[in-house]
Amino acid sequence: MKTAITELFGIQHPIIQGGMHYVGFAEMAAAVSNAGGLGIITGLTLGTPEKLANEIARCKDMTDKPFGVNLTFLPTVNAPDYPGLVKAIIDGGVKAVETAGNNPAQVLPFFKDAGVKVIHKCTSVRHALKAQSIGCDAVSVDGFECGGHPGEDDVPNFILLPRAADELEIPFVSSGGMADGRSLVASLAMGAEGMNMGTRFIATKEAPVHENVKAAIVAASELDTRLVMRPLRNTERVMTNDAVEELLKIEKEKGADLKFEDIIEQVAGVYPRIMAEGDMDAGAWSCGMVAGLINDIPTCKELIDRIMAEAEEIISKRMSGMLA
Amino acid sequence: MKTAITELFGIQHPIIQGGMHYVGFAEMAAAVSNAGGLGIITGLTLGTPEKLANEIARCKDMTDKPFGVNLTFLPTVNAPDYPGLVKAIIDGGVKAVETAGNNPAQVLPFFKDAGVKVIHKCTSVRHALKAQSIGCDAVSVDGFECGGHPGEDDVPNFILLPRAADELEIPFVSSGGMADGRSLVASLAMGAEGMNMGTRFIATKEAPVHENVKAAIVAASELDTRLVMRPLRNTERVMTNDAVEELLKIEKEKGADLKFEDIIEQVAGVYPRIMAEGDMDAGAWSCGMVAGLINDIPTCKELIDRIMAEAEEIISKRMSGMLA
């Protein structure tokens, strides 16, 4: 399949693996890229320029296909060494970056000069237009369904994607709720030029996370995610578990007085324990509602091949048959 | 276009106009049916068997195409004369009924005997499976985006439609967030056999409502709806206005102690004032997030023709072009 996104990133299939904390290591990115999608290393999981440079080198050892790096800009006191991370990306010869969080205007000129294509993750039309105006090459439009941070507008992709299509001139991919060939064709119908998947890629053989995480996704239904931290206006969609239910209890008790410190035990430093050690009740971890559509743990190649075959069948047979 | 839904209801296009309080009069239903969709008279807006029988007769004067009646089952002390309404539908020769609210098991045998096809509105997979098990002919799968009552699960259509497709054997249409040819093709891609539109049909020339209502929909963005009555577990998506903001203020103040009586001024008896008189701040009225995708007031025929032309172009040109 050929779309503006496959052409922009030089990939075979219009499928991007979004940045995921403690999931987006070189093994994940290489597996997706080798399967014809765009794999993404999660910059802040590595944390330092040295470690990121090393991860990029490891990924290059595992694939000769294009891959990217996610760089998330968070409002934080102890900011990571963003200039160093940008340099590691450029020096590593990476040609695709997924930015997320705050506006990436400050780093864009460096990427532009180095010929790095930038796709920015947005949860609203106004943020997507902002990304376009500062020179991003594409945007990833992230609906209310998504795992992680959906923003505070709660607009699902059935509305958000066509709204983005009506407003944007740069290409965009759908993100949030994407699982299969049906998701891809629906996204393309609504004006997207491809799709981004996060949670779906965690439940693959190559995802470098504990088997318990994959099993939890397969076991979950579409009713098993929760929105946490809404009172802090930092809403995150996570898989429910004991820690999350405790967190929600604290949120309810504290009401408008909730402070980050009240829930720090449930959210701070929990990713290594969950993703590496498989301690599934350690805290809140990002997971999309799409878990309800995930029922197996294929290889990335099996997954992507299946998606593309299903998409082609929907277009060539199901849809065309209805028109006949 | 030919799908299981066009065949089930004997209509030209797979588009249904959902029941809408104080909108679904004969003029609305006839306009949609004359345009090749399935128009629906809203039974409870008429209220009595006599008035419904009269409305059905009026609709028959305006169209010789199939149309239906919506029958919503609410938990209420002063229940409408449901047996009388069912009789009016059957005696009126109506061959399609959209049920909503509580399980329609009690009335199904009467409709079955009379050859009336029943499509039940559901906001969850479990309700859809229940509808299938009691013998409904089809279901209308209503996502979190929808105007009116989305239920309490908050599952948007990008997840809910493929989940329904995985579980159901009877055909279903998408509902909630549907506006145009993009919505239709995306729905078909996800396994639906057609789509239901509510809010979009209010903003048509023939909709028998005050011009202020149509103008409010055209003016609204996707950020202008609100969820009210969640504390009562009777969540409703409505257009924001002064009354709704007041209602939300009361909900916040009362917290878990909220009773229906606290907000009765904002929700009881407001529909005639809004829909007929155009008093747009009179209270809370159901409106989908899809208002953000509605920018004009076409005739029903212009709207449906445009949707079908757009859908065919997306399938035959955009999609097929990507595969080429």
Side-chain angles (χ1 to χ4, degrees):
Chain A
M1 189 177 285
K2 197 170 167 174
T3 76
I5 287 294
T6 59
E7 302 314 287
L8 181 66
F9 293 115
I11 52 180
Q12 190 184 354
H13 306 301
I15 296 176
I16 299 177
Q17 166 247 320
M20 290 177 285
H21 206 34
Y22 280 86
V23 179
F25 294 101
E27 288 79 4
M28 180 86 261
V32 173
S33 289
N34 280 330
L38 185 70
I40 302 267
I41 292 170
T42 306
L44 294 194
T45 297
L46 283 314
T48 67
E50 296 68 32
K51 286 181 182 166
L52 178 57
N54 182 56
E55 203 71 7
I56 291 169
R58 288 210 310 124
C59 197
K60 282 188 158 174
D61 284 343
M62 289 185 265
T63 184
D64 55 5
K65 301 278 182 64
F67 63 90
V69 172
N70 169 286
L71 211 47
T72 297
F73 297 95
L74 300 170
T76 166
V77 182
N78 299 309
D81 177 6
Y82 283 117
L85 294 169
V86 169
K87 190 167 183 302
I89 291 167
I90 292 171
D91 290 351
V94 173
K95 293 298 179 195
V97 164
E98 176 193 62
T99 53
N102 288 349
N103 184 319
Q106 286 198 313
V107 300
L108 269 185
F110 303 100
F111 289 136
K112 287 270 166 195
D113 283 351
V116 179
K117 302 298 181 190
V118 175
I119 181 167
H120 185 59
K121 221 164 172 50
C122 308
T123 60
S124 70
V125 173
R126 64 187 183 282
H127 289 150
L129 285 171
K130 180 72 186 176
Q132 174 176 279
S133 75
I134 63 174
C136 290
D137 299 285
V139 287
S140 183
V141 174
D142 216 15
F144 174 69
E145 302 87 345
C146 74
H149 296 274
E152 311 301 327
D153 290 343
D154 298 357
V155 181
N157 274 327
F158 247 87
I159 307 287
L160 195 58
L161 298 180
R163 277 288 293 129
D166 284 344
E167 300 273 353
L168 289 172
E169 287 165 29
I170 57 175
F172 67 96
V173 299
S174 61
S175 181
M178 304 300 148
D180 51 33
R182 298 175 294 190
S183 325
L184 178 57
V185 178
S187 300
L188 299 174
M190 298 198 127
E193 298 284 320
M195 72 175 174
N196 179 92
M197 300 195 301
T199 304
R200 174 64 267 197
F201 276 122
I202 306 181
T204 57
K205 288 216 166 54
E206 298 95 333
V209 302
H210 197 282
E211 292 304 311
N212 289 357
V213 179
K214 304 179 189 184
I217 292 172
V218 169
S221 89
E222 71 276 17
L223 304 177
D224 291 332
T225 68
R226 299 289 180 270
L227 295 176
V228 298
M229 294 196 284
R230 172 134 287 179
L232 303 173
R233 291 193 67 77
N234 184 31
T235 300
E236 184 176 4
R237 186 180 296 283
V238 300
M239 175 76 87
T240 185
N241 60 28
D242 288 351
V244 167
E245 295 304 322
E246 173 66 20
L247 192 169
L248 290 170
K249 210 176 117 196
I250 296 169
E251 285 189 357
K252 201 170 174 185
E253 283 166 9
K254 298 276 177 179
D257 298 328
L258 183 78
K259 291 183 184 58
F260 183 72
E261 291 70 33
D262 298 324
I263 55 169
I264 199 162
E265 193 187 325
Q266 284 80 31
V267 298
V270 299
Y271 271 81
R273 288 164 59 196
I274 294 161
M275 295 298 172
E277 298 165 31
D279 177 3
M280 298 313 294
D281 285 316
W285 58 283
S286 292
C287 179
M289 216 179 244
V290 74
L293 290 168
I294 298 173
N295 305 305
D296 62 355
I297 305 173
T299 66
C300 288
K301 180 159 171 38
E302 285 165 355
L303 175 63
I304 290 181
D305 284 351
R306 184 171 75 194
I307 290 170
M308 297 313 300
E310 189 185 12
E312 292 185 18
E313 172 149 343
I314 291 170
I315 297 169
S316 308
K317 296 197 178 152
R318 175 170 167 79
M319 301 274 197
S320 303
M322 286 173 170
L323 290 184
Chain B
M1 189 177 285
K2 197 170 167 174
T3 75
I5 287 293
T6 60
E7 302 315 286
L8 181 66
F9 293 115
I11 52 180
Q12 189 184 354
H13 306 300
I15 296 176
I16 298 177
Q17 166 247 318
M20 289 177 284
H21 206 34
Y22 280 87
V23 179
F25 294 102
E27 288 79 4
M28 180 86 262
V32 173
S33 288
N34 280 330
L38 185 70
I40 302 266
I41 292 170
T42 307
L44 293 194
T45 297
L46 283 314
T48 67
E50 296 68 30
K51 287 182 181 165
L52 178 57
N54 183 56
E55 202 71 8
I56 291 169
R58 289 211 308 125
C59 197
K60 281 188 158 174
D61 284 344
M62 290 185 264
T63 185
D64 55 5
K65 302 278 182 64
F67 63 90
V69 172
N70 168 287
L71 210 48
T72 298
F73 297 94
L74 300 171
T76 166
V77 182
N78 299 308
D81 176 7
Y82 283 117
L85 294 169
V86 168
K87 190 167 183 301
I89 291 167
I90 292 170
D91 290 351
V94 173
K95 293 297 177 195
V97 163
E98 176 193 62
T99 53
N102 288 349
N103 185 319
Q106 287 198 312
V107 300
L108 268 185
F110 302 100
F111 289 137
K112 287 268 166 197
D113 282 351
V116 179
K117 302 297 181 191
V118 175
I119 180 167
H120 186 60
K121 222 165 172 50
C122 307
T123 60
S124 70
V125 173
R126 66 187 181 282
H127 290 150
L129 285 171
K130 180 73 187 173
Q132 174 176 281
S133 76
I134 63 173
C136 291
D137 299 285
V139 287
S140 183
V141 175
D142 217 15
F144 173 69
E145 302 86 344
C146 74
H149 296 274
E152 312 301 327
D153 290 344
D154 298 357
V155 181
N157 273 328
F158 247 87
I159 307 287
L160 195 58
L161 298 179
R163 277 288 293 128
D166 285 344
E167 300 274 354
L168 289 172
E169 286 165 30
I170 56 175
F172 67 96
V173 299
S174 61
S175 181
M178 305 300 148
D180 52 32
R182 298 175 294 191
S183 325
L184 178 57
V185 178
S187 300
L188 299 174
M190 299 197 128
E193 298 284 319
M195 72 175 174
N196 178 92
M197 300 196 300
T199 304
R200 173 65 266 196
F201 276 122
I202 306 181
T204 58
K205 287 215 166 55
E206 297 95 334
V209 302
H210 197 283
E211 292 303 313
N212 290 357
V213 180
K214 304 178 188 183
I217 292 171
V218 169
S221 89
E222 71 276 17
L223 304 177
D224 291 332
T225 68
R226 300 288 180 270
L227 295 176
V228 298
M229 295 195 284
R230 173 134 285 180
L232 303 173
R233 290 192 67 78
N234 184 30
T235 300
E236 184 177 4
R237 185 180 296 284
V238 300
M239 175 76 86
T240 184
N241 60 29
D242 288 352
V244 167
E245 294 304 321
E246 174 66 20
L247 192 169
L248 290 169
K249 211 176 115 195
I250 295 169
E251 285 189 357
K252 201 170 174 185
E253 283 166 10
K254 298 276 178 180
D257 298 328
L258 183 78
K259 291 184 184 57
F260 183 72
E261 292 69 34
D262 298 324
I263 55 168
I264 199 162
E265 193 186 325
Q266 284 80 32
V267 298
V270 300
Y271 270 81
R273 288 164 59 196
I274 294 161
M275 294 298 172
E277 297 166 31
D279 177 2
M280 299 313 294
D281 286 315
W285 59 283
S286 291
C287 179
M289 218 180 242
V290 74
L293 290 168
I294 298 173
N295 305 303
D296 62 356
I297 305 173
T299 66
C300 288
K301 179 158 171 39
E302 285 165 355
L303 176 63
I304 290 181
D305 284 350
R306 185 171 74 194
I307 290 170
M308 297 313 300
E310 189 186 12
E312 292 185 17
E313 171 149 342
I314 290 170
I315 297 169
S316 308
K317 296 196 178 153
R318 175 171 167 79
M319 302 274 197
S320 303
M322 286 173 170
L323 290 185

